[in-house]
Amino acid sequence: MTVYSGAYGSSAVVFLFIKLLHEGGVSFHGSFLFLTLCSVGLLLCTLFLMPMGHIPYPLPENFTYGLGCPGGRRQRVEDEGQWEEITKLEFDRNQKDKRIEASDPSTRLHGPKQEKEAIFWSCLFSWLFLWHLVWLVTSVFCHSFYLAQVNPILTQLTDNDQNMVSHYTNVFAYIQMYGVFFAPLTAVIMDRHKQLAPGESKREAKLRSSSPALVLTSLQCFLFCVCFTTPVLPLQYLTFILQVANSTSLYGVLNTFIYIAFPASHFGKLSGVIMSLSGLVLLLHFPIQYLIQNQLHGDPLYVNLGVTLVSLLMFCHPLHVIFYCRKLAQQRKTGKQEFNA
């Protein structure tokens, strides 16, 4: 998952190629027209390769889709009807198993409510999700603000030397290519710290293992903000590295945390909600840009300091996860003491 997210972050290198082609004589209009034609392929895949109905959950064992499915469109529709019947049978069997477990006195001790899948709205308004939303929105705001200001910052630091500005922007774009290698680092950290403690559930262990990755990502963002706020030109090389490392690991941790903290059946809905809401933060660029140009006379220093302070909000999320896991461990310990008594 983190490798996939890192590849998504590294896709920004496409604009380096557009810049180099433009310097070679290719117009921006032609480059963006080519990108638009490439997106047509994604539309065709969505229309003709995805299932005609909804994708069942949990997936049946023989679930397939796409042009390689035997029997064509009608067969796929019939198969989906059969898959829905299989899914309904599996759901009824799971409900029966839950009733049997609920009647067992030994399962009452461990809290059957924790085993019951939470509904979507309870996940959406839980503190875990809300702090995760604040964590992402803060990071997206910091990165989008920097990307909007990177050329003015470089222009100011190089005393309007356009050759130096072009050199630094090219370096920034080349570093984007290596984002896919930065992304798995947080996954390695999470995998190394998810060993089960005595009596600990897999979900609790994975939540506990996510806190170091959340702290690391938050620290990367804070240091990135400190670097681009410091008006030292050579320091911008480190700013570029931190920006790429943080942006590529950000989405890997984002999706991984949603997957381990909430039921898998809600993954698509929750990730869609959090990405949509985080996109609204881009609307803040208009008043901020107006403030810099008209009130601060083009000097973004004070705004940069404010963005750096805002980035500290990201540390609230890993702290909440740490306290949440400690609370679960305390409840588990209390339950064992009551059982022993």
Side-chain angles (χ1 to χ4, degrees):
M1 186 176 292
T2 54
V3 171
Y4 179 85
S5 300
Y8 164 74
S10 297
S11 62
V13 75
V14 172
F15 290 100
L16 170 64
F17 302 143
I18 293 178
K19 179 178 181 291
L20 296 177
L21 289 173
H22 179 69
E23 293 174 352
V26 179
S27 66
F28 283 130
H29 180 269
S31 297
F32 283 101
L33 180 61
F34 175 76
L35 290 179
T36 303
L37 294 177
C38 290
S39 66
V40 174
L42 300 177
L43 179 62
L44 295 177
C45 290
T46 303
L47 293 176
F48 297 105
L49 294 185
M50 296 300 291
M52 299 300 299
H54 74 280
I55 298 177
Y57 181 85
L59 286 178
E61 183 178 357
N62 297 323
F63 181 80
T64 56
Y65 61 88
L67 295 178
C69 293
R73 178 173 177 175
R74 178 179 298 179
Q75 183 65 36
R76 290 201 301 271
V77 174
E78 293 176 356
D79 289 344
E80 287 176 9
Q82 296 176 0
W83 290 329
E84 290 181 358
E85 293 180 2
I86 295 174
T87 303
K88 185 177 183 301
L89 292 175
E90 291 181 351
F91 176 79
D92 294 339
R93 184 168 60 251
N94 291 336
Q95 292 297 108
K96 182 178 179 180
D97 293 340
K98 290 179 180 179
R99 288 194 296 269
I100 295 175
E101 292 179 359
S103 62
D104 187 356
S106 63
T107 61
R108 295 175 185 173
L109 172 66
H110 300 90
K113 291 183 179 181
Q114 296 180 357
E115 301 296 330
K116 184 179 179 180
E117 183 174 294
I119 62 175
F120 170 71
W121 293 108
S122 64
C123 296
L124 185 64
F125 293 105
S126 65
W127 282 111
L128 278 177
F129 182 80
L130 293 177
W131 277 118
H132 199 50
L133 176 62
V134 171
W135 179 82
L136 176 66
V137 166
T138 303
S139 181
V140 169
F141 171 73
C142 296
H143 285 280
S144 58
F145 171 78
Y146 174 72
L147 294 177
Q149 296 294 323
V150 61
N151 271 329
I153 290 174
L154 293 176
T155 301
Q156 184 181 21
L157 293 178
T158 58
D159 294 328
N160 202 21
D161 186 345
Q162 293 303 313
N163 291 329
M164 287 295 294
V165 172
S166 178
H167 165 73
Y168 274 87
T169 53
N170 285 346
V171 171
F172 186 25
Y174 281 119
I175 294 176
Q176 296 283 340
M177 300 175 61
Y178 299 96
V180 67
F181 300 107
F182 289 112
L185 295 178
T186 52
V188 173
I189 294 174
M190 296 176 72
D191 289 340
R192 287 176 60 88
H193 294 85
K194 66 178 183 180
Q195 291 82 4
L196 288 174
E200 189 178 38
S201 65
K202 290 184 178 180
R203 175 181 177 271
E204 185 179 346
K206 291 179 179 180
L207 276 176
R208 176 175 47 79
S209 67
S210 68
S211 56
L214 291 170
V215 171
L216 176 61
T217 309
S218 304
L219 182 61
Q220 286 176 341
C221 186
F222 174 71
L223 294 177
F224 155 67
C225 293
V226 171
C227 287
F228 79 72
T229 301
T230 306
V232 178
L233 184 60
L235 189 62
Q236 300 313 304
Y237 291 117
L238 179 59
T239 303
F240 299 155
I241 295 174
L242 288 172
Q243 194 278 331
V244 173
N246 185 238
S247 62
T248 52
S249 61
L250 173 72
Y251 292 100
V253 177
L254 163 72
N255 294 317
T256 304
F257 183 84
I258 293 176
Y259 179 76
I260 65 179
F262 306 103
S265 58
H266 301 325
F267 176 80
K269 297 187 287 291
L270 292 175
S271 61
V273 167
I274 200 170
M275 291 298 292
S276 300
L277 294 177
S278 64
L280 296 177
V281 76
L282 300 178
L283 296 176
L284 295 175
H285 286 282
F286 296 102
I288 292 176
Q289 193 69 26
Y290 179 84
L291 176 65
I292 294 174
Q293 295 299 329
N294 295 276
Q295 303 298 323
L296 300 177
H297 307 289
D299 186 4
L301 178 61
Y302 292 107
V303 177
N304 291 348
L305 290 173
V307 172
T308 303
L309 293 176
V310 168
S311 67
L312 294 174
L313 283 174
M314 294 186 66
F315 289 97
C316 295
H317 182 37
L319 288 175
H320 176 261
V321 173
I322 292 172
F323 287 122
Y324 178 79
C325 292
R326 288 182 179 178
K327 182 179 179 181
L328 291 179
Q330 185 64 33
Q331 291 177 349
R332 185 177 66 251
K333 182 179 179 181
T334 304
K336 285 186 176 181
Q337 290 175 349
E338 292 175 357
F339 178 76
N340 293 332

